[in-house]
């Protein structure tokens, strides 16, 4: 139940690298009110919402993240967020 990986409540200066979020009820990766984080080389597959969901979160860096077969957001191989 819920999201796979979550950064919330003003989480800053974190790095998520090389993680896989697969088959979660919510989004694979959720950034909520969090900034200046780095997400690199993560994969979000078959999640119930978005692969990467970003809400009111600014100044984050997204590099070489993959989204495949999530319910919302479509596919985006090697892209930023979806």
């Amino acid at each position: 139940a819920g999201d796979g990986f979550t950064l919330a409540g003003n989480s800053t200066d974190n790095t998520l690298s090389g993680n896989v979020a697969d088959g979660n009820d919510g989004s694979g990766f959720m950034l909520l009110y969090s900034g200046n984080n780095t997400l690199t080389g993560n994969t979000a597959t078959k999640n119930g919402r978005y692969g990467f969901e970003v809400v009111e979160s600014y100044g984050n860096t997204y590099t070489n993240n993959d989204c495949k077969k999530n319910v919302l957001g479509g596919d985006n191989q090697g892209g930023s967020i979806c």
Side-chain angles (χ1 to χ4, degrees):
D3 301 313
F5 295 86
T6 302
L7 295 176
N10 297 316
S11 293
T12 59
D13 302 313
N14 297 288
T15 299
L16 294 178
S17 179
N19 298 289
V20 175
D22 181 72
N24 295 287
D25 290 336
S27 293
F29 295 82
M30 166 64 92
L31 276 70
L32 180 64
Y33 304 110
S34 298
N36 300 317
N37 298 292
T38 301
L39 281 74
T40 304
N42 298 292
T43 302
T45 308
K46 299 178 186 173
N47 294 290
R49 288 186 48 83
Y50 295 95
F52 293 79
E53 185 171 1
V54 181
V55 179
E56 296 292 324
S57 298
Y58 305 100
N60 295 298
T61 302
Y62 309 93
T63 308
N64 297 323
N65 298 295
D66 289 333
C67 298
K68 298 175 185 160
K69 299 181 182 177
N70 298 290
V71 173
L72 303 174
D75 293 347
N76 183 12
Q77 296 181 355
S80 55
I81 58 174
C82 55

